[in-house]
Amino acid sequence: MANLNDKELSNLLRQKFDDYNVALPDDDWEVLKKKWGDTQRNHRRFIWYWVAAASMIGIILSGLSYWLFLPSEQQLPSIAQTTLNKQNSSKITAVLSASVVTQKKETIFSELKHKKQLQKDIIHSISTTDLSLAIQPKSESAKTFTNIASTTQKGTDTLSFASSSHVNSPSSDVNSTDTSSTSTHYETLPQPTSLIDNSQDHSRKHAKKQPVGWLAINMQGSNGLPNGINNSNALMEPSTLDNRLFTQVNQNITPSANSSTQLITFIDKKTYAFPISWGISFSFPISDCWEVETGGMFTQLVTTGEVTSTSSSSATGRIEQNYIGIPLNVAYIFLKEPTFAVYGTAGGAVEKGVSLVEKIYSYNAQNVATETDHYTTTIHGFQYSLDGNIGASYRVYKFISGYIETGVAYFIPSNQPESYRTVHPFGVTIKVGIRFTFGKN
Amino acid sequence: MQRFEIRNHLYQQCMYSAPDEAQLINDCQQQVAAAQQQLYEGYARKMMGVCMRYVNDYETARDLLHDGFIKVFTHISSFQGEGSFEGWLRRVFVTTALEYLRKNDVLRESYDISTSYNLQTEEETIIERISADELRAIIGTLPTGFRTVFNLYAVEGYSHKEIGKLLNITESTSRSQFARAKNLLKQKIVAQYG
């Protein structure tokens, strides 16, 4: 019996399978078309997730960069170098320069230590009135020096470096007998505002009010105000979930012999779960009392529906809507103590629905559930909202603070799928979280 | 994008029919739904045959067929007209089937045999006589690893070196699995049709 080598076998098989076909069901194209549609939607959703994640990372990085660079920018210009010409005691030179300060910073510190005693004596001997009189002829520079003098007078605590040590240092050379001289000269280099602002920090207590940023992890709930629609047993409209539940129950009902006379009653119930949002937020201080807050948040809105018939057939459905959003608020701090703050915020949020998942279960007479439908789709458009809150924060440990906010929110009708928000667009919110403070405090 | 949507709509309105394969491919690259349907109708049954040879289960093969077409629709722009389109399609479906088999970890069987088996003319006669469906059914009864190597080597024309890379096995393992597959196939053919 002759052997059939591999090549001959291959040729034989290829010939055999060249036009080999397997029959497919008639609806196969429809099934494939649905799968293809789902794939495209998932792809679009993935892009949305990606854009949202990239945006959040971008915002967070921007915030961190701001915190990393802002404090040094604020501190460096504020360190003023004021030189006093000892030979001509009537001439006072205030030099403001970040670059010079960087080089002189250590020198100033060492001088402070060595001349601490001398400084105290000088400070006590300096008359603020004399200094003010001496600098009256110079408008801008005079104002600067007035602040320096004021700080010098009060800033006996050299440890409060952020606001006063840099002013004390040069003034340690001030001879009190020369300050009343009329031949005073000022030289003010760029960034005088920083000096003025920081010079206004008259005490260590005031130094605590230097703007700082924070990063927070928070959870927010929103309880809708009554608006005429009963939340727990809402009247179902013949649409979306409700319609599908009715259809499902109708399919499950087995017609009985007297079905023509059978009166089937449907009891329907719809519940909107209390919406809860999770998020990360951070603040950009824009002044001593004002902050801009933003970040990212995730919200899941769950709607459940139930339809039961007198024929013991029932179906339940659950819709989960997932939103990601970016809030933007402006905060005004009414009270700012080292460990405690009270503030108010106002702003809004833009949210994008990234997915809507619907699951429908039908129950037979033995109450055994079967999942009869499960699909995922995207949510078009954006949800816009406005909110105003009042809040308080309490520092529990160094840079860690807890905070709580409460207020009102209005979800602007934005053609979004039915949810707690569409039923209760106006609601009371409560937000709790933990803040991690950055920057000099 | 809007232009394509309008075009899609028009095609569906007036019974799309591409004049040639190049036009069909071009329209599929433009994501014209009607062209995708024509492509499916033209190749689905044949590609189902390819899938069936690898998984031997109708519903699983159907899932692979759908996954394969989704890949085709997604990546058809990568087909640059080099070689036959059917060959490109077949590679997509074979790759899809192999991915499924790898994911389900059914390709890790390894047999070390030194004897090479050759089919004989008696079996050749039987193979010529029986239908492709019957032959596919016999191949389908082979262990998954044997079946995969056998299909790739004997039907698709891959070399053992290429199969080794595709399945992440050594070249010698591929050879041994093919030899074992041939031997089993011979026994089954003789037993059923001899």
Side-chain angles (χ1 to χ4, degrees), chain A residues 368-388:
Chain A
V368 176
T370 311
E371 187 175 319
T372 53
D373 194 15
H374 181 173
Y375 77 92
T376 304
T377 186
T378 50
I379 301 170
H380 299 290
F382 293 89
Q383 171 70 63
Y384 303 97
S385 62
L386 299 171
D387 66 82

Side-chain angles (χ1 to χ4, degrees), chain A residues 1-6 9-14 16-25 27-29 31-32 35-36 39-40, chain B residues 31 36-37 40 44-46 58 62-63 66 73-74 119-122 124 127-128 130 132-133 135-136 150 154-155 157 178 182:
Chain A
M1 196 179 286
N3 281 341
L4 190 70
N5 65 30
D6 290 348
L9 175 67
S10 287
N11 289 336
L12 182 65
L13 289 172
R14 277 178 213 165
K16 203 79 183 170
F17 287 121
D18 192 36
D19 286 320
Y20 178 56
N21 289 318
V22 175
L24 287 160
D27 68 338
D28 196 62
W29 167 247
V31 176
L32 172 60
K35 283 184 182 176
W36 171 232
T39 305
Q40 287 178 309
Chain B
Q31 302 291 323
Q36 289 171 337
Q37 185 172 358
Y40 165 85
R45 289 159 60 92
K46 191 175 266 190
Y58 188 82
R62 211 175 141 206
D63 284 341
H66 294 159
F73 295 156
T74 308
L119 296 183
Q120 296 177 329
T121 46
E122 184 188 347
E124 182 190 1
I127 289 171
E128 281 174 347
I130 62 176
D133 206 38
L135 182 59
R136 204 268 318 147
F150 185 83
V155 185
F178 177 70
K182 264 198 307 182

Side-chain angles (χ1 to χ4, degrees), chain A residues 176-388:
Chain A
S176 61
T177 57
D178 296 332
T179 54
S180 58
S181 171
T182 53
S183 58
T184 305
H185 171 72
Y186 307 100
E187 182 185 349
T188 305
L189 294 182
Q191 298 173 309
T193 313
S194 301
L195 177 63
I196 293 167
D197 288 347
N198 285 281
S199 299
Q200 286 169 348
D201 298 342
H202 298 301
S203 65
R204 188 169 63 180
K205 182 185 172 187
H206 204 89
K208 291 286 183 189
K209 292 183 179 177
Q210 183 179 352
V212 293
W214 47 256
L215 177 70
I217 300 168
N218 59 61
M219 186 184 81
Q220 178 179 328
S222 174
N223 189 29
L225 297 179
N227 62 350
I229 298 177
N230 188 340
N231 174 29
S232 62
N233 196 3
L235 179 66
M236 286 188 178
E237 294 173 1
S239 62
T240 57
L241 175 67
D242 324 319
N243 202 27
R244 283 191 283 278
L245 289 175
F246 276 115
T247 308
Q248 187 61 50
V249 171
N250 274 324
Q251 283 175 358
N252 294 345
I253 294 171
T254 309
S256 59
N258 58 346
S259 60
S260 57
T261 57
Q262 188 180 20
L263 180 65
I264 297 172
T265 306
F266 293 101
I267 302 165
D268 52 57
K269 182 179 171 186
K270 189 187 282 186
T271 307
Y272 303 99
F274 187 73
I276 292 178
S277 302
W278 298 87
I280 295 175
S281 57
F282 48 85
S283 78
F284 294 91
I286 50 176
S287 75
D288 201 36
C289 295
W290 290 93
E291 290 179 349
V292 175
E293 298 174 8
T294 185
M297 61 181 183
F298 170 80
T299 307
Q300 187 174 65
L301 303 171
V302 178
T303 305
T304 53
E306 184 179 345
V307 172
T308 309
S309 75
T310 48
S311 66
S312 298
S313 177
S314 66
T316 62
R318 177 185 168 91
I319 292 179
E320 295 170 2
Q321 296 176 45
N322 299 309
Y323 281 82
I324 52 173
I326 298 175
L328 182 66
N329 291 77
V330 177
Y332 180 77
I333 304 164
F334 301 116
L335 176 65
K336 192 173 187 180
E337 293 297 325
T339 57
F340 185 69
V342 179
Y343 55 91
T345 69
V350 180
E351 291 174 82
K352 170 67 185 166
V354 288
S355 69
L356 185 152
V357 181
E358 183 182 294
K359 296 172 184 174
I360 290 182
Y361 300 89
S362 65
Y363 295 83
N364 59 19
Q366 287 76 40
N367 209 28
V368 176
T370 311
E371 187 175 319
T372 53
D373 194 15
H374 181 173
Y375 77 92
T376 304
T377 186
T378 50
I379 301 170
H380 299 290
F382 293 89
Q383 171 70 63
Y384 303 97
S385 62
L386 299 171
D387 66 82

Side-chain angles (χ1 to χ4, degrees), chain B residues 50-51 54 64 67-68 71 87-103 107 152 156 158 166-167:
Chain B
V50 172
C51 295
Y54 284 88
L64 292 180
D67 292 347
K71 276 185 189 171
W88 181 82
L89 267 185
R90 188 181 284 266
R91 277 199 301 280
V92 171
F93 283 90
V94 168
T95 308
T96 306
L98 293 180
E99 280 171 4
Y100 166 80
L101 295 172
R102 269 198 297 265
K103 201 185 291 180
L107 295 172
L152 289 171
E156 315 297 349
Y158 287 93
L166 278 172
L167 304 183

Side-chain angles (χ1 to χ4, degrees), chain B residues 40-173:
Chain B
Y40 165 85
E41 284 165 357
Y43 291 99
R45 289 159 60 92
K46 191 175 266 190
M47 294 305 130
M48 182 66 178
V50 172
C51 295
M52 279 293 286
R53 278 194 287 110
Y54 284 88
V55 293
N56 198 36
D57 174 74
Y58 188 82
E59 286 307 320
T60 309
R62 211 175 141 206
D63 284 341
L64 292 180
L65 179 80
H66 294 159
D67 292 347
F69 269 111
I70 287 168
K71 276 185 189 171
V72 169
F73 295 156
T74 308
H75 301 291
I76 195 166
S77 55
S78 66
F79 178 71
Q80 301 296 324
E82 295 162 1
S84 83
F85 180 64
E86 189 180 329
W88 181 82
L89 267 185
R90 188 181 284 266
R91 277 199 301 280
V92 171
F93 283 90
V94 168
T95 308
T96 306
L98 293 180
E99 280 171 4
Y100 166 80
L101 295 172
R102 269 198 297 265
K103 201 185 291 180
N104 289 276
D105 208 24
V106 292
L107 295 172
R108 295 210 175 273
E109 308 156 48
S110 178
Y111 296 86
D112 185 20
I113 56 169
S114 52
T115 316
S116 178
Y117 299 87
N118 279 339
L119 296 183
Q120 296 177 329
T121 46
E122 184 188 347
E123 286 90 63
E124 182 190 1
T125 314
I126 297 171
I127 289 171
E128 281 174 347
R129 181 160 46 88
I130 62 176
S131 70
D133 206 38
E134 288 168 324
L135 182 59
R136 204 268 318 147
I138 296 172
I139 294 172
T141 60
L142 295 173
T144 312
F146 291 178
R147 184 173 66 234
T148 308
V149 172
F150 185 83
N151 274 319
L152 289 171
Y153 184 83
V155 185
E156 315 297 349
Y158 287 93
S159 69
H160 286 299
K161 195 175 179 180
E162 288 170 326
I163 295 169
K165 284 181 183 171
L166 278 172
L167 304 183
N168 199 23
I169 56 176
T170 63
E171 194 178 332
S172 62
T173 303

